[in-house]
Coordinates of all heavy atoms in Angstrom, one line a residue:
M68 N 23.7 0.2 -30.5 CA 22.4 -0.5 -30.6 C 21.9 -0.8 -29.2 O 20.7 -0.7 -28.9 CB 22.5 -1.7 -31.5 CG 21.2 -2.3 -31.9 SD 20.1 -1.1 -32.7 CE 20.6 -1.1 -34.4
K69 N 22.7 -1.2 -28.3 CA 22.3 -1.7 -27.0 C 21.6 -0.5 -26.2 O 20.6 -0.7 -25.5 CB 23.5 -2.1 -26.2 CG 23.2 -3.2 -25.2 CD 24.5 -3.7 -24.5 CE 24.4 -3.4 -23.0 NZ 25.6 -3.0 -22.3
V70 N 22.2 0.7 -26.4 CA 21.7 1.9 -25.7 C 20.3 2.2 -26.3 O 19.3 2.5 -25.5 CB 22.6 3.1 -25.9 CG1 22.0 4.3 -25.2 CG2 24.0 2.8 -25.3
F71 N 20.2 2.2 -27.6 CA 18.9 2.5 -28.2 C 17.8 1.4 -27.8 O 16.7 1.8 -27.5 CB 19.0 2.5 -29.8 CG 19.7 3.8 -30.2 CD1 21.0 3.9 -30.4 CD2 18.9 4.9 -30.5 CE1 21.6 5.1 -30.8 CE2 19.4 6.1 -31.0 CZ 20.8 6.2 -31.1
Q72 N 18.2 0.2 -27.8 CA 17.3 -0.9 -27.4 C 16.9 -0.8 -25.9 O 15.7 -1.0 -25.6 CB 17.8 -2.3 -27.7 CG 17.8 -2.5 -29.2 CD 18.5 -3.8 -29.7 OE1 19.3 -4.3 -28.9 NE2 18.3 -4.2 -30.9
A73 N 17.8 -0.4 -25.1 CA 17.5 -0.2 -23.6 C 16.5 0.9 -23.5 O 15.7 0.9 -22.5 CB 18.7 0.0 -22.8
N74 N 16.5 1.9 -24.4 CA 15.6 3.0 -24.3 C 14.3 2.7 -25.1 O 13.4 3.6 -25.2 CB 16.2 4.2 -24.9 CG 17.2 4.9 -23.8 OD1 16.7 5.3 -22.8 ND2 18.5 4.9 -24.2
G75 N 14.1 1.5 -25.6 CA 12.9 1.1 -26.2 C 12.8 1.3 -27.7 O 11.7 1.1 -28.3
F76 N 13.9 1.7 -28.4 CA 13.9 1.8 -29.8 C 14.3 0.5 -30.5 O 15.2 -0.2 -29.9 CB 14.8 3.0 -30.2 CG 14.4 4.3 -29.7 CD1 15.0 4.9 -28.6 CD2 13.3 5.0 -30.4 CE1 14.6 6.1 -28.2 CE2 12.9 6.3 -29.9 CZ 13.6 6.8 -28.8
D77 N 13.8 0.3 -31.7 CA 14.4 -0.8 -32.5 C 14.3 -0.4 -34.0 O 13.6 0.5 -34.3 CB 13.7 -2.1 -32.2 CG 14.7 -3.2 -32.3 OD1 15.9 -3.0 -32.8 OD2 14.4 -4.3 -31.8
F78 N 15.1 -1.1 -34.8 CA 15.3 -0.6 -36.2 C 15.2 -1.8 -37.1 O 15.4 -3.0 -36.7 CB 16.7 0.0 -36.3 CG 16.9 1.2 -35.4 CD1 17.4 1.0 -34.1 CD2 16.5 2.4 -35.8 CE1 17.5 2.1 -33.3 CE2 16.6 3.5 -34.9 CZ 17.1 3.3 -33.6
Q79 N 14.8 -1.5 -38.4 CA 14.7 -2.5 -39.4 C 15.8 -2.1 -40.4 O 15.9 -0.9 -40.8 CB 13.4 -2.4 -40.1 CG 13.0 -3.6 -40.9 CD 11.6 -3.4 -41.5 OE1 11.4 -2.4 -42.2 NE2 10.7 -4.3 -41.3
D80 N 16.6 -3.1 -40.8 CA 17.7 -2.9 -41.7 C 17.1 -3.0 -43.1 O 16.7 -4.1 -43.5 CB 18.8 -3.9 -41.5 CG 20.2 -3.2 -41.6 OD1 20.2 -2.1 -42.3 OD2 21.1 -3.8 -41.1
T81 N 17.1 -2.0 -43.9 CA 16.5 -2.1 -45.3 C 17.6 -1.7 -46.3 O 18.6 -1.2 -45.9 CB 15.3 -1.1 -45.5 OG1 15.8 0.2 -45.6 CG2 14.3 -1.2 -44.3
A82 N 17.2 -1.9 -47.6 CA 18.2 -1.5 -48.6 C 18.5 -0.1 -48.6 O 19.5 0.4 -49.0 CB 17.6 -1.9 -50.0
N83 N 17.5 0.8 -48.0 CA 17.7 2.2 -48.0 C 18.2 2.6 -46.6 O 18.0 3.8 -46.2 CB 16.4 2.9 -48.3 CG 15.9 2.6 -49.6 OD1 16.7 2.5 -50.6 ND2 14.6 2.3 -49.7
G84 N 18.9 1.7 -45.9 CA 19.4 2.1 -44.5 C 18.4 1.7 -43.4 O 17.4 1.0 -43.7
L85 N 18.7 2.2 -42.2 CA 17.9 1.9 -41.1 C 16.5 2.6 -41.1 O 16.4 3.8 -41.4 CB 18.6 2.2 -39.8 CG 19.8 1.4 -39.4 CD1 20.5 2.0 -38.1 CD2 19.5 0.0 -39.3
K86 N 15.5 1.8 -40.7 CA 14.2 2.5 -40.5 C 13.8 2.2 -39.0 O 14.2 1.2 -38.4 CB 13.1 1.9 -41.4 CG 13.2 2.4 -42.8 CD 12.0 1.9 -43.6 CE 11.8 2.8 -44.8 NZ 10.6 2.4 -45.5
L87 N 13.0 3.2 -38.5 CA 12.6 3.1 -37.1 C 11.5 2.0 -37.0 O 10.4 2.2 -37.7 CB 12.1 4.4 -36.6 CG 11.7 4.5 -35.1 CD1 12.8 4.1 -34.2 CD2 11.2 5.9 -34.8
A88 N 11.7 0.9 -36.3 CA 10.7 -0.2 -36.2 C 9.9 -0.3 -34.9 O 8.9 -0.9 -34.8 CB 11.4 -1.5 -36.5
A89 N 10.5 0.3 -33.8 CA 9.8 0.3 -32.5 C 10.2 1.5 -31.7 O 11.3 2.0 -31.9 CB 10.2 -1.0 -31.8
V90 N 9.3 2.0 -31.0 CA 9.5 3.2 -30.1 C 9.2 2.8 -28.6 O 8.6 1.8 -28.4 CB 8.7 4.4 -30.5 CG1 9.1 4.9 -31.9 CG2 7.2 4.1 -30.5

Side-chain angles (χ1 to χ4, degrees):
M68 194 51 88
K69 213 179 119 216
V70 177
F71 283 88
Q72 287 172 342
N74 281 299
F76 296 101
D77 218 344
F78 303 90
Q79 194 180 58
D80 220 340
T81 74
N83 303 318
L85 290 178
K86 282 188 163 185
L87 184 59
V90 293

